[in-house]
Amino acid sequence: MIQIYRFKRIFRTCIVSIYQNVDILREERMKLEYVGEPIISIRDLVLNYGNKTVLHGINLNVFKGQIIGYIGPNGAGKSTTVKVLLGLIGEYKGDVKILGRDISDGDVEYKRKIGYVPEVADIYESLTAQEYLTFIGQLYGLEYTRADQKAFQLMTSFELDHMYGSRISSFSKGMKQKVLLIASLIHNPEILFLDEPLSGLDANSVMVVKELLACLAAQGKTIFYSSHIMDVVEKISNRIILLDN
Ligand SMILES: Nc1ncnc2c1ncn2[C@@H]1O[C@H](COP(=O)(O)OP(=O)(O)OP(=O)(O)O)[C@@H](O)[C@H]1O
């Protein structure tokens, strides 16, 4: 109980300080913008689905601590870009480096350092949140006890601790979305890819996610946030990329 309380306190303290110092943080993040090696580097990325070209030569550098809003209309190629970065689509032209490594070189180690919240996710609904999250944590190499502790902390921060032992099939859409978000954070990734992460969340949960993202960025995490809705993205991002053909 003490640990939960401590985590809640740290989480809230971080959130409060983020809001109090939001301008300073923005300024600090802007300073980070062009310093050092990019954490994600995309050069002349072209991707075709059959005869159709979806990505027409994208060039982009993303630096540590940035929250990138990756915006474009439906069908612009946002999810496709994210899938390339995650190594889920290999048939592209151009160079993509994550954490300094070319992702086409076959070394998948970088995947331990990234988290992903997909737009549409398959989630094992017959498992409880505890079973699902500890399973994901162990896939990322965490010990069961550590995964369990981390999962419960994150469930608590999203006010879902009372559902920890319940089957995911009994969760609302927004609750499932939160579980997916927790699953993406359980291994403390350096880069977080989010594909429309707020879909299905109520206003309060949107606030929690926004605060959490600001908190993560302040800790030096990099966030790649893909969405077709400018409204929320412009409030949380410190750099916006518009994808238009
Ligand atoms: N597996 C696929 N096979 C063929 N075409 C595809 C495939 N996946 C996506 N596309 C097409 O590629 C284009 C880009 O799709 P993508 O899902 O990347 O867009 P998006 O910007 O994420 O859109 P949305 O905002 O609707 O999620 C669309 O025209 C889509 O129909």
Side-chain angles (χ1 to χ4, degrees):
M1 283 307 278
I2 291 166
Q3 272 200 325
I4 300 163
Y5 173 70
R6 260 187 61 203
F7 179 76
K8 271 190 161 173
R9 212 182 48 193
I10 291 165
F11 186 71
R12 291 215 177 98
T13 308
C14 188
I15 288 164
V16 170
S17 64
I18 290 290
Y19 275 89
Q20 282 170 347
N21 298 304
V22 76
D23 291 335
I24 299 165
L25 280 169
R26 277 211 186 106
E27 207 174 288
E28 288 301 315
R29 287 196 219 126
M30 296 310 281
K31 277 186 211 156
L32 283 170
E33 198 158 328
Y34 297 108
V35 176
E37 284 283 303
I39 203 157
I40 301 172
S41 156
I42 304 176
R43 286 284 155 273
D44 303 320
L45 175 61
V46 174
L47 187 128
N48 303 312
Y49 283 124
N51 295 329
K52 184 176 167 188
T53 302
V54 176
L55 304 179
H56 301 253
I58 294 177
N59 287 287
L60 176 63
N61 282 334
V62 178
F63 293 85
K64 189 174 162 67
Q66 287 188 323
I67 305 181
I68 297 290
Y70 196 61
I71 305 292
N74 293 128
K78 302 179 299 294
S79 299
T80 302
T81 312
V82 171
K83 284 178 191 163
V84 169
L85 294 171
L86 293 166
L88 299 175
I89 302 177
E91 302 82 35
Y92 61 85
K93 291 180 195 141
D95 296 316
V96 179
K97 285 186 186 165
I98 295 190
L99 296 160
R101 295 292 298 262
D102 191 322
I103 63 166
S104 66
D105 71 3
D107 183 354
V108 293
E109 186 55 29
Y110 82 96
K111 294 192 182 185
R112 285 186 188 276
K113 296 177 183 157
I114 62 179
Y116 173 45
V117 180
E119 186 175 12
V120 182
D122 287 326
I123 189 164
Y124 298 109
E125 301 215 355
S126 56
L127 299 183
T128 64
Q130 181 176 23
E131 287 164 346
Y132 177 70
L133 292 169
T134 51
F135 169 64
I136 298 289
Q138 287 175 96
L139 286 182
Y140 278 115
L142 299 185
E143 297 281 332
Y144 177 86
T145 317
R146 178 75 190 116
D148 190 35
Q149 199 182 32
K150 193 77 195 291
F152 190 68
Q153 283 175 345
L154 287 163
M155 287 285 285
T156 305
S157 69
F158 281 102
E159 294 176 352
L160 277 182
D161 39 324
H162 61 293
M163 300 292 279
Y164 194 47
S166 306
R167 282 187 200 276
I168 296 171
S169 55
S170 67
F171 285 32
S172 72
K173 191 177 168 207
M175 288 171 172
K176 286 178 194 165
Q177 191 65 12
K178 288 181 187 174
V179 171
L180 288 171
L181 199 56
I182 292 168
S184 77
L185 291 170
I186 198 154
H187 58 301
N188 197 20
E190 286 184 39
I191 311 174
L192 189 59
F193 291 97
L194 305 167
D195 202 349
E196 302 283 8
L198 303 180
S199 58
L201 296 190
D202 57 38
N204 193 36
S205 306
V206 168
M207 278 297 293
V208 172
V209 173
K210 280 161 64 180
E211 288 160 355
L212 178 65
L213 296 184
C215 197
L216 291 170
Q219 291 166 13
K221 310 284 182 198
T222 307
I223 294 156
F224 194 98
Y225 184 118
S226 162
S227 177
H228 66 279
I229 305 166
M230 185 65 157
D231 190 35
V232 175
V233 178
E234 71 172 344
K235 291 194 184 84
I236 62 163
S237 307
N238 52 25
R239 187 168 164 212
I240 295 200
I241 313 292
L242 285 171
L243 191 62
D244 181 20
N245 287 320

